[in-house]
Amino acid sequence: MITIAIFLVLFLAHGLSFSEAQLQFGFYSQTCPSAESIVRNAVQQAVSRDPGTAAVLLRLQFHDCFVEGCDGSILIKHAVNDDERFAPGNAGVGGFDVIDNAKSELERLCPGVVSCADIVALAARDAVVAAKGPFYEVQTGRRDGQKSEKSNAANLPDVEDSINVLKSKFREKGLSDKDLVLLSAGSHTIGTTACFFIMARLDAQDSTISPEFFQVLRSKCPKGGDVNVRIPLDWESQFLFDVQIFKNIRNGKGVIKSDSVLYQDNDMKKIMESYLASNESSGANFAADFAEAVVKMGAIGVKTGVQGEIRRICNATN
């Protein structure tokens, strides 16, 4: 844990652009010293009630950062349902209540200080820790965006995307192929998906699914069945942060297509295999690399300084 924290400090000190470097460690140390502990408590309470909340909060940050940057725009809710939440690619995104609970307490103690965008980033980190994943320091100082449009979320990574399309979408955000493996397949070490997202590949009898696992998935998501039924993304350890997801994908047990197609690409396959090999032979560390990738993602398109605003409530602009 200490090693990961030190590594990230060095990474952030030397590898960020000017706009990203405006984020800081301990941004609220003087203005709201209890900010991180308040978010942590809200996450811990939510995860203790429902362990699946950890994955939901991690996914929330991903979907926020990939549209308009990491500015909390996904939290905004319009009366006419034309905001980001209602984009097809955001189907099933949740965790809004956890963010709202943390914001409510922060506004009580430190009104007008802590942004909703920072709460999302901190909650994702605390969710990973709650799932026995790595602790990593989060730079804060993001400000909240002031618009949320459904049309802006039209190009989110999709479960049906080809490997080349996935690579392109990640590169557009300044993320590498390694980041793709970590933030897409790697993030699926925890959480669930709905039958809706796998029906097409089951109906097509996708050959990347092992015959035995195909029968398991088909029994959970039968033709004509309820597409809202949820199933684990990591069939072996859905609430635990570990490398089992990569073993599953290698063995034909990838639940969604966008995970399985990664293993069909030689470069992606090598990255996955590096996490499955012993540290002595590969030198790869899934926890440390995942933490680095999430921190990198958390700096996409951030608003700082006088940009944006600090919302009083997270689901509406001031």
Side-chain angles (χ1 to χ4, degrees), residues 101-120:
N101 289 342
K103 178 63 171 176
S104 178
E105 180 64 9
L106 285 165
E107 284 298 299
R108 185 180 71 82
L109 294 176
C110 315
V113 173
V114 182
S115 70
C116 299
D118 276 342
I119 297 173
V120 170

Side-chain angles (χ1 to χ4, degrees), residues 89-254:
N90 283 329
V93 172
F96 303 108
D97 56 331
V98 182
I99 305 301
D100 289 341
N101 289 342
K103 178 63 171 176
S104 178
E105 180 64 9
L106 285 165
E107 284 298 299
R108 185 180 71 82
L109 294 176
C110 315
V113 173
V114 182
S115 70
C116 299
D118 276 342
I119 297 173
V120 170
L122 291 167
R125 185 271 307 280
D126 296 332
V128 170
V129 173
K132 310 303 180 186
F135 175 88
Y136 52 93
E137 296 290 351
V138 174
Q139 285 195 314
T140 44
R142 298 168 187 79
R143 288 172 64 86
D144 297 320
Q146 295 170 293
K147 66 178 182 177
S148 180
E149 298 176 7
K150 180 179 176 180
S151 59
N152 289 343
N155 200 39
L156 283 163
D158 187 80
V159 294
E160 293 294 323
D161 284 343
S162 69
I163 184 63
N164 288 332
V165 170
L166 288 170
K167 286 181 177 182
S168 176
K169 287 181 177 181
F170 272 70
R171 288 170 182 169
E172 286 174 1
K173 301 299 180 182
L175 299 172
S176 68
D177 293 350
K178 182 178 178 181
D179 295 327
L180 168 56
V181 170
L182 292 161
L183 296 172
S184 185
S187 291
H188 296 157
T189 176
I190 53 176
T192 62
T193 190
C195 286
F196 173 82
F197 292 106
I198 68 169
M199 282 299 197
R201 72 186 306 228
L202 293 180
D203 292 344
Q205 298 190 347
D206 189 331
S207 62
T208 62
I209 310 174
S210 74
E212 297 81 7
F213 193 56
F214 178 89
Q215 294 303 323
V216 172
L217 294 178
R218 186 88 275 186
S219 69
K220 299 294 183 181
C221 304
K223 285 188 177 182
D226 183 356
V227 297
N228 295 310
V229 169
R230 300 199 70 83
I231 57 175
L233 286 161
D234 180 347
W235 210 261
E236 309 295 332
S237 54
Q238 65 167 308
F239 299 123
L240 182 65
F241 184 97
D242 58 16
V243 297
Q244 183 64 45
I245 186 66
F246 297 133
K247 295 179 183 178
N248 295 346
I249 295 170
R250 179 182 64 186
N251 296 333
K253 294 182 179 180

